[in-house]
Amino acid sequence: MKQKPPHTVEALQSEAFMEHAIKHHRGAVLRLALARTHSATDAQDIAQDVFIKLLRSATRFHDDDHLRAWLLRATHDSCIDLHRQAWRRRVETHEDMAAVADRETWDPAIEEVVNHPVWTAMERLPDKLRCALHLHYVEGYGIAEVADILGCTEAAARTRLHRGRKKLAAELARLEAAGSAPASAHSTAADSNDPTDPAMQQTAY
C-alpha cells in the first residue's frame, strides 16, 4: 500500500510534511541534480531551491509517488534554469530559509555513487540522454513517467534511452579498455534485450 504523506492546505507546507519529503526524497532530488550539473555545490543549491518551492506549493499530493514525481519535475526545471541563464539562487525570506536550510539535504550514498565507473561514463553523455538514463535506470521510472518528468513524448523518451544505452556501452567499453571499469558494467549496458529499443517504431528526439 502506498504511503500517504502528511499534508496541509495552509499557505506554507507543514513542518511534518517537509520533514517527510526531505527524509524520503532528498536523495532522488540530489542524484538527478548531480546527473544534470556535474557539481555537488550546484546540486545542493538546486535541492534547497526545490524544497523551498515545495514549501510554498499548494499542490495536494495523492501519495509519495506523486510527491516524488513532482520533486523530480521541479529538479529538472531548476536544472534547465541553471543552464539557460547565469543562474543564482534567489534571496529567500528568512522564514523560508529557516524552514529548509537547517535540515540535512546531502545523501551520504551519493559519494559512493559518483565514484562508480558507470556514473563516470554517464557524465560523458549528452545531457538529454544522460537525464533519461538516470530517471529510467537509477530512479526506476517507466517510459511514460520519464517522458512526463522531462516534458517530452514517449517516443522521444524511448529514443533517448535507446541511444543513451548504446553510447553508455561504448563509453564503458572505452573505460574497461583503460582499466577504469569492470567488464560486468559494460555487459550490463550492452544488454541486447533492451526494452527501450525503438526499432520498428516511429521515434522522435
Side-chain angles (χ1 to χ4, degrees):
M1 185 176 181
K2 293 178 180 178
Q3 186 176 9
K4 190 176 182 65
H7 190 269
T8 179
V9 295
E10 298 174 358
L12 296 180
Q13 303 284 10
S14 69
E15 182 175 358
F17 176 84
M18 292 303 299
E19 287 178 351
H20 172 94
I22 292 172
K23 177 181 178 180
H24 293 283
H25 304 296
R26 68 187 182 198
V29 168
L30 282 163
R31 286 191 297 270
L32 179 57
L34 275 170
R36 294 296 304 273
T37 66
H38 309 290
S39 166
T41 299
D42 284 344
Q44 290 186 84
D45 284 348
I46 286 172
Q48 181 160 292
D49 183 68
V50 166
F51 283 109
I52 288 174
K53 288 178 181 177
L54 177 65
L55 177 71
R56 294 172 168 177
S57 174
T59 302
R60 297 187 64 86
F61 297 101
H62 308 305
D63 51 40
D64 259 12
D65 288 345
H66 183 197
L67 172 59
R68 185 167 179 262
W70 186 98
L71 287 167
L72 292 182
R73 280 193 296 272
T75 302
H76 175 66
D77 291 344
S78 290
C79 289
I80 289 175
D81 290 342
L82 177 63
H83 286 289
R84 283 180 175 172
Q85 56 189 336
W87 182 86
R88 295 292 183 271
R89 187 177 55 192
R90 299 185 307 273
V91 176
E92 305 293 345
T93 64
H94 176 75
E95 292 78 12
D96 287 353
M97 292 298 292
V100 175
D102 62 346
R103 296 185 175 90
E104 181 184 3
T105 57
W106 183 253
D107 185 342
I110 287 179
E111 187 171 353
E112 180 180 352
V113 170
V114 297
N115 290 326
H116 194 281
V118 172
W119 185 278
T120 301
M122 282 183 65
E123 283 192 318
R124 300 174 183 271
L125 302 183
D127 183 66
K128 286 184 177 181
L129 306 188
R130 184 177 63 252
C131 191
L133 284 174
H134 177 86
L135 289 170
H136 186 64
Y137 293 108
V138 178
E139 303 302 339
Y141 282 108
I143 303 295
E145 295 164 315
V146 170
D148 183 56
I149 291 172
L150 298 182
C152 65
T153 66
E154 291 186 28
R158 186 178 293 107
T159 300
R160 292 179 194 183
L161 286 166
H162 181 62
R163 291 177 179 174
R165 191 177 176 89
K166 281 188 171 182
K167 288 182 179 292
L168 179 61
E171 186 60 36
L172 285 169
R174 189 190 68 78
L175 291 174
E176 181 187 342
S180 302
S184 59
H186 175 212
S187 61
T188 298
D191 183 3
S192 60
N193 297 316
D194 181 2
T196 68
D197 192 337
M200 306 304 292
Q201 300 183 39
Q202 183 178 1
T203 59
Y205 184 71

